[in-house]
Amino acid sequence: MDLVELLQQAQRLTNETKMDTEMPGVERTMSQVLQATQELHSRVTQTGTNDLQAHILLGSKGVDLPQLTQKLETLSARQSFEPLDPVTDTDVQGYLKNERENAILSVIDETNRSIFEAVERQKWRCIYAEWGEEKELLLNALVGPHQEDFPDVQRQMVRTAMADEPTPFSRLNVIQQLYAKEISAYNLMHIQGTQRTNLVSTFAQLAQQSFDDSLVAEMWNVLVFMADVTPLSRNIDPIKSRQSAPQFIQQARTYLERRYKTYMNKVIEQNLVVARRGGIPNVYNLVGSYVGVTFQQPQSLCGLHDVTNGRPLWPLVYYSLRSGDMGAAVRYLKEAGTCPDLLKLMTLLKMGDRDPSTAKLEGQLKLEYNNKLHVCTDPYKKAVYVIVLACDPHDTHVELMRSIDDFLWMQLSILRGQDKRDYNIEQLTYSGLQSLILDKYGENYFNAREKTPLYFQVLALTGQFEAAIEFLARTEANRPHAVHMAIALNELCMLGAPSSVKQPLLSAEPDDPPPMKRLNLVRLIVMYAKCFEQTDTEHALQYYYLLRHFKAEDGTNAMLNCVSDLLVENCDDKMLELVFGVVDEANPFRFTGGIFDEFHTMDCDKYSLAGMVGDELSKRSNYESAIKLYFIAGQLDKALRLVCSLLSQVVHQPPRPGSMRERLGEVIKQLDAALAERKTDVEAHVIVTYTVLSQVMEFFNLHHAGESRLASDILTNNRLIPTTSFEVDECVSNLKRMGPEIIKVLPDILLAAMDIVYEEYVNQRGSSGSGSVYGDETKSENKESLLRHLRGRAKALTNMAASVPYRMPSTTNQRLVQLEILMH
């Protein structure tokens, strides 16, 4: 190709690539094109050949990589675990979305935490196991079979001495033992019919004198104060009566006021010079000295109203009310000569006058408070108006609330009953305060886990005894105090119990005013006494005696159920003797002694308890122990039935020392002596079955001892087996009148009887076969006649086995037929 043709081809290509656009053409020389190509090549090789290849690969598959990158950048995993944006109350869709996402996040968080804890536990378990193996190897290396390798290591033998009759170690600590002694003494007073003591006061005195714990003593003091009200009746529901009785509110206020007076006395004693205490020792002078100590600095009077000679009026009035003395507050107001309407109202309230003029005066003062005093700079003046008028429950009075006691006293002071509420304004009720303490604030607000006594006192002072005791019972250290607090309140008819003993420890009935709860005392006592009922059975029974008034869902006594469960789990001879005593020699059906002997009530005694335990043991197939309990209960019919059932299983066995058969022999001796006096209490067919089985047992005793003739006489006298084929029908008829237990033993009886007949046949035949040919023919005929009689007896036994309406084991039939054939 020459240059002309090359030029023409270049022009043709130029014309083909020329587009009809207004864009100016770009003209580059060959050197410029080469330079641009080199720059593009260097840029691609330096910045990312991989990116270019990725673009080419994904582009060939139809993927737009830049657009995909933008979508990925919009995704952020970090936002999934960020707090959710708040939504308004009316945004239902947003609320549901937030709740769903919260649920998902909580599940993820809980799963992560549980996995981490499980891994952590497994790690430490493996570490401890490895450490244990290493320590074991080291100890084995130090003191092993080659003691001479370590001459300095000396093994010392420690002498130990054990008692001849060791007693189990008590699981009760010192505090629990002191409580248990008081419970035993209290139950003894009830059994003897003497006047019982107040358990709340008794336990409070015990805590004060014997427990080295001031916090526990303080909790008992709170309970004593709150329980010092008019005694309640068992026919009245404690929850409803507590909510409607204002005496519990007054008791709580009085307790807080007395404690605050003690606090003011301590402050004054530490500042006697400033306090200048003097005059008659009353609340009026006490408050004056305390205010003098508290407001001795001039800056402490800033913002206070009615200050005269450095002595503010409203703190004097407030602290007088805080101490529970309305008279001292009225006296301070009268001396100041201010607020005559408030003075008049407080005077009427002090006198207990609630006429229509009082309500009108209250309305005027409430209007004045809402218009002017609501924004008053003197917190004490505002607090006085709020207390006297019982209004504005949402004002927290932050300047005056220095402790939980102050807050609680303020809330109790502004309470109004349902019958005294003014529905025009918002007021606080008793149930509202209880809900505020238990539901709104709760355990986290009061730091209850670390300040257990404080939270208990707050709940108890607001009348929530059940919730306070349940909270106290959660920790092992405080559980003994909680259990005995519940017992003491229940004895005073002040503890709310659920309708069913199967309810949880803390529950609520549908008709209960919220937030009141009910405490399951039965569950609490059982949970407490189960820990030591094996080692301290007597103390455990004393606690179960306190449950005598409770009924289970099936109508049984809760005390009997608890003791029955104890005996079912541990029914040995020692436990039975401890609970029921020993047999009276004069009367075999009377047991003397035993712990339960003193617990007799109209609903239960130890004989009904023995019957209940026997029934439960019989259901669990512990028939030997059930027989003992039935004998104690005097229920011979049930005892005989179980004895018959057991005898039918072991009566054919050879005697062995310590076997069930031997133990049943001792039981039979006791039952024979008892039947001699109370035979009429048992059904006739049961006695017949028992008597026959007793004879069968004697038969097998003789059979195993080799006394075949005496054994055969027992069977013949009881008409159990025939001696001839004519007696088969009669024996079968006799069996039908007996119990099924005899039928179960019949195969063994037939085999034993056949063995006796065959043994006698062999003996007779052997003696006849060895006789002299010169013997007497008469003697031979007698022996032959005896052999025919024995064959007839064998034939009768096989006929009876075939005639009995009971399917004999195949081995029994084969054995009987085999022995009969051998006799021919």
Side-chain angles (χ1 to χ4, degrees):
M1 181 181 295
D2 55 4
L3 294 177
V4 177
E5 295 179 354
L6 182 61
L7 177 60
Q8 293 175 355
Q9 186 176 359
Q11 290 176 350
R12 185 170 59 253
L13 290 174
T14 303
N15 295 331
E16 290 177 355
T17 56
K18 185 179 295 185
M19 295 182 297
D20 297 333
T21 59
E22 297 179 356
M23 296 294 294
V26 178
E27 296 181 357
R28 291 187 180 184
T29 63
M30 295 298 293
S31 60
Q32 291 176 342
V33 172
L34 179 61
Q35 182 179 0
T37 305
Q38 291 176 351
E39 290 178 358
L40 178 62
H41 179 269
S42 62
R43 192 184 313 118
V44 170
T45 54
Q46 290 179 3
T47 58
T49 306
N50 296 333
D51 293 344
L52 180 61
Q53 294 176 355
H55 278 76
I56 295 172
L57 176 61
L58 294 176
S60 64
K61 300 298 181 180
V63 179
D64 189 357
L65 187 59
Q67 185 178 2
L68 182 63
T69 305
Q70 293 177 359
K71 292 182 179 180
L72 291 176
E73 288 177 354
T74 58
L75 298 178
S76 176
R78 180 179 59 84
Q79 295 179 358
S80 300
F81 300 95
E82 290 181 350
L84 301 177
D85 296 333
V87 296
T88 60
D89 295 338
T90 57
D91 188 1
V92 178
Q93 295 295 333
Y95 174 78
L96 294 177
K97 179 181 177 182
N98 281 4
E99 288 297 318
R100 178 178 178 275
E101 294 181 359
N102 277 327
I104 295 173
L105 293 177
S106 62
V107 170
I108 294 174
D109 184 61
E110 183 66 25
T111 304
N112 290 337
R113 184 164 57 252
S114 62
I115 292 173
F116 177 78
E117 293 175 355
V119 172
E120 189 74 13
R121 287 195 302 268
Q122 185 66 23
K123 180 191 74 173
W124 283 111
R125 190 181 297 112
C126 295
I127 291 175
Y128 287 142
E130 292 177 359
W131 287 356
E133 293 176 359
E134 291 294 331
K135 286 187 288 185
E136 185 177 357
L137 292 175
L138 290 175
L139 292 175
N140 291 336
L142 288 175
V143 182
H146 303 288
Q147 181 68 26
E148 62 276 4
D149 296 338
F150 300 92
D152 296 335
V153 179
Q154 301 293 331
R155 283 189 271 186
Q156 298 180 355
M157 302 299 293
V158 180
R159 295 183 178 180
T160 58
M162 294 186 64
D164 296 335
E165 296 182 358
T167 56
F169 180 74
S170 175
R171 296 193 63 181
L172 295 175
N173 56 31
V174 178
I175 293 177
Q176 292 174 318
Q177 289 177 0
L178 292 174
Y179 276 132
K181 289 180 181 178
E182 295 295 338
I183 291 292
S184 301
Y186 180 80
N187 288 339
L188 182 61
M189 293 179 187
H190 177 266
I191 293 169
Q192 294 177 349
T194 58
Q195 184 177 2
R196 289 173 288 176
T197 59
N198 187 326
L199 269 183
V200 179
S201 302
T202 302
F203 289 145
Q205 186 177 3
L206 179 67
Q208 191 72 31
Q209 297 176 355
S210 303
F211 299 167
D212 190 16
D213 194 336
S214 59
L215 297 177
V216 174
E218 187 64 28
M219 288 192 294
W220 274 109
N221 290 336
V222 171
L223 210 61
V224 168
F225 214 89
M226 293 299 295
D228 189 17
V229 296
T230 305
L232 303 178
S233 173
R234 289 191 179 274
N235 299 325
I236 302 176
D237 186 16
I239 297 295
K240 295 180 181 179
S241 64
R242 191 188 312 161
Q243 292 300 98
S244 59
Q247 52 188 345
F248 290 98
I249 302 174
Q250 187 59 41
Q251 286 295 109
R253 284 187 58 184
T254 304
Y255 177 81
L256 294 172
E257 288 163 358
R258 290 186 179 182
R259 194 151 69 175
Y260 198 78
K261 284 191 289 186
T262 303
Y263 165 73
M264 288 195 298
N265 279 316
K266 290 181 180 179
V267 173
I268 292 172
E269 289 174 0
Q270 296 173 359
N271 301 273
L272 291 176
V273 177
V274 179
R276 292 180 295 179
R277 192 169 187 175
I280 302 174
N282 54 17
V283 174
Y284 177 82
N285 293 321
L286 175 67
V287 171
S289 300
Y290 177 75
V291 170
V293 173
T294 307
F295 295 92
Q296 56 181 316
Q297 300 296 332
Q299 58 269 22
S300 62
L301 302 175
C302 295
L304 301 183
H305 296 181
D306 302 322
V307 179
T308 305
N309 296 326
R311 191 182 187 191
L313 169 65
W314 295 107
L316 294 171
V317 179
Y318 170 76
Y319 286 119
S320 298
L321 296 175
R322 182 69 178 84
S323 303
D325 194 338
M326 181 72 77
V330 170
R331 183 176 175 183
Y332 278 121
L333 272 179
K334 189 179 295 184
E335 291 176 354
T338 184
C339 299
D341 292 338
L342 180 62
L343 175 61
K344 182 179 179 181
L345 178 60
M346 293 176 64
T347 305
L348 293 174
L349 293 177
K350 179 178 176 295
M351 297 172 60
D353 191 358
R354 305 291 300 184
D355 56 3
S357 61
T358 306
K360 182 178 179 181
L361 190 58
E362 281 186 1
Q364 295 175 356
L365 290 173
K366 287 177 183 178
L367 184 61
E368 179 183 355
Y369 173 81
N370 292 329
N371 292 335
K372 298 179 181 179
L373 298 178
H374 184 67
V375 292
C376 179
T377 59
D378 191 340
Y380 294 94
K381 184 176 182 179
K382 185 166 59 173
V384 169
Y385 272 83
V386 168
I387 294 169
V388 174
L389 300 176
C391 62
D392 199 5
H394 297 295
D395 195 338
T396 57
H397 305 279
V398 180
E399 302 88 348
L400 308 181
M401 300 296 105
R402 297 181 176 88
S403 66
I404 296 295
D405 285 4
D406 294 334
F407 166 77
L408 194 57
W409 178 84
M410 176 63 73
Q411 299 299 317
L412 290 170
S413 300
I414 63 176
L415 290 183
R416 282 294 177 92
Q418 294 290 344
D419 55 339
K420 299 179 180 179
R421 290 188 61 187
D422 186 357
Y423 291 95
N424 295 325
I425 61 174
E426 187 173 2
Q427 291 180 320
L428 185 64
T429 61
Y430 196 31
S431 60
L433 175 60
Q434 292 169 339
S435 299
L436 184 70
I437 297 296
L438 184 63
D439 297 333
K440 183 176 180 180
Y441 292 138
E443 300 176 15
N444 294 332
Y445 178 83
F446 292 97
N447 195 10
R449 293 187 179 274
E450 297 182 5
K451 299 179 180 180
T452 301
L454 174 64
Y455 189 58
F456 171 84
Q457 293 176 32
V458 172
L459 291 176
L461 289 171
T462 53
Q464 303 181 83
F465 302 140
E466 294 79 12
I469 293 174
E470 187 273 337
F471 168 74
L472 208 62
R474 296 180 196 173
T475 56
E476 186 176 355
N478 294 316
R479 189 172 297 125
H481 310 303
V483 171
H484 293 87
M485 287 175 181
I487 292 172
L489 290 178
N490 181 70
E491 293 299 314
L492 294 178
C493 308
M494 296 179 62
L495 188 74
S499 57
S500 173
V501 296
K502 292 186 178 181
Q503 290 289 335
L505 191 59
L506 197 67
S507 60
E509 298 291 334
D511 298 335
D512 290 341
M516 297 303 294
K517 308 292 183 183
R518 293 182 180 270
L519 185 71
N520 193 340
L521 180 63
V522 177
R523 187 180 293 273
L524 182 63
I525 291 180
V526 171
M527 179 179 63
Y528 176 73
K530 277 288 184 183
C531 300
F532 56 85
E533 66 178 10
Q534 299 292 335
T535 58
D536 302 87
T537 307
E538 185 173 357
H539 289 315
L541 292 179
Q542 296 286 348
Y543 282 97
Y544 292 151
Y545 180 70
L546 298 170
L547 305 177
R548 61 191 180 276
H549 297 301
F550 292 90
K551 299 291 183 181
E553 291 184 347
D554 56 355
T556 56
N557 190 281
M559 177 185 71
L560 283 183
N561 287 339
C562 295
V563 182
S564 175
D565 292 340
L566 166 63
L567 293 175
V568 167
E569 297 296 332
N570 188 14
C571 191
D572 54 6
D573 294 336
K574 272 190 174 182
M575 181 64 71
L576 295 180
E577 183 178 345
L578 177 66
V579 176
F580 298 105
V582 295
V583 182
D584 191 355
E585 296 180 357
N587 185 359
F589 293 100
R590 187 172 181 272
F591 285 74
T592 58
I595 302 173
F596 207 79
D597 195 21
E598 61 185 24
F599 290 160
H600 59 275
T601 63
M602 295 182 64
D603 296 334
C604 58
D605 54 15
K606 62 182 180 182
Y607 301 107
S608 58
L609 171 64
M612 180 184 294
V613 178
D615 292 339
E616 185 62 29
L617 289 172
S618 179
K619 292 178 182 177
R620 301 190 181 193
S621 301
N622 189 355
Y623 296 132
E624 288 190 74
S625 300
I627 291 171
K628 298 178 184 178
L629 270 300
Y630 284 143
F631 189 79
I632 294 174
Q635 301 177 5
L636 290 182
D637 187 78
K638 294 182 179 180
L640 286 176
R641 291 176 187 272
L642 290 183
V643 169
C644 293
S645 177
L646 293 178
L647 280 176
S648 65
Q649 302 175 35
V650 299
V651 70
H652 62 282
Q653 298 176 357
R656 289 192 305 270
S659 63
M660 180 185 292
R661 191 176 188 276
E662 184 179 7
R663 296 194 298 269
L664 287 175
E666 299 297 328
V667 174
I668 288 174
K669 294 178 182 179
Q670 297 179 0
L671 289 176
D672 289 341
L675 285 173
E677 298 184 6
R678 296 180 56 177
K679 198 170 184 178
T680 57
D681 297 343
V682 186
E683 297 182 9
H685 71 92
V686 178
I687 294 181
V688 171
T689 304
Y690 168 75
T691 304
V692 172
L693 282 175
S694 301
Q695 294 296 316
V696 171
M697 187 175 185
E698 184 64 23
F699 160 75
F700 278 105
N701 288 336
L702 295 173
H703 172 62
H704 292 302
E707 301 290 340
S708 301
R709 187 171 297 277
L710 296 176
S712 298
D713 293 340
I714 292 177
L715 294 180
T716 304
N717 295 333
N718 288 276
R719 311 298 292 173
L720 287 176
I721 60 173
T723 55
T724 64
S725 297
F726 300 102
E727 297 177 357
V728 171
D729 294 337
E730 181 183 355
C731 292
V732 172
S733 300
N734 290 335
L735 284 174
K736 291 180 179 179
R737 290 193 295 266
M738 297 180 185
E741 292 82 3
I742 307 298
I743 304 296
K744 292 180 182 179
V745 189
L746 184 60
D748 299 294
I749 296 175
L750 291 175
L751 286 176
M754 183 65 82
D755 288 337
I756 293 173
V757 172
Y758 179 74
E759 182 182 359
E760 187 176 354
Y761 176 83
V762 171
N763 292 335
Q764 291 296 329
R765 185 178 181 181
S767 61
S768 63
S770 62
S772 174
V773 294
Y774 304 102
D776 189 7
E777 294 181 0
T778 305
K779 187 176 181 181
S780 296
E781 291 179 359
N782 291 334
K783 288 185 177 181
E784 185 63 28
S785 174
L786 181 59
L787 291 176
R788 285 196 302 269
H789 175 70
L790 292 175
R791 293 191 195 100
R793 288 178 59 184
K795 184 63 176 178
L797 291 175
T798 54
N799 289 340
M800 184 176 180
S803 303
V804 171
Y806 169 72
R807 186 174 182 181
M808 289 284 180
S810 59
T811 55
T812 302
N813 288 323
Q814 293 173 3
R815 178 66 176 168
L816 291 175
V817 173
Q818 182 182 9
L819 292 177
E820 182 190 358
I821 293 173
L822 292 175
M823 292 184 190
H824 289 81

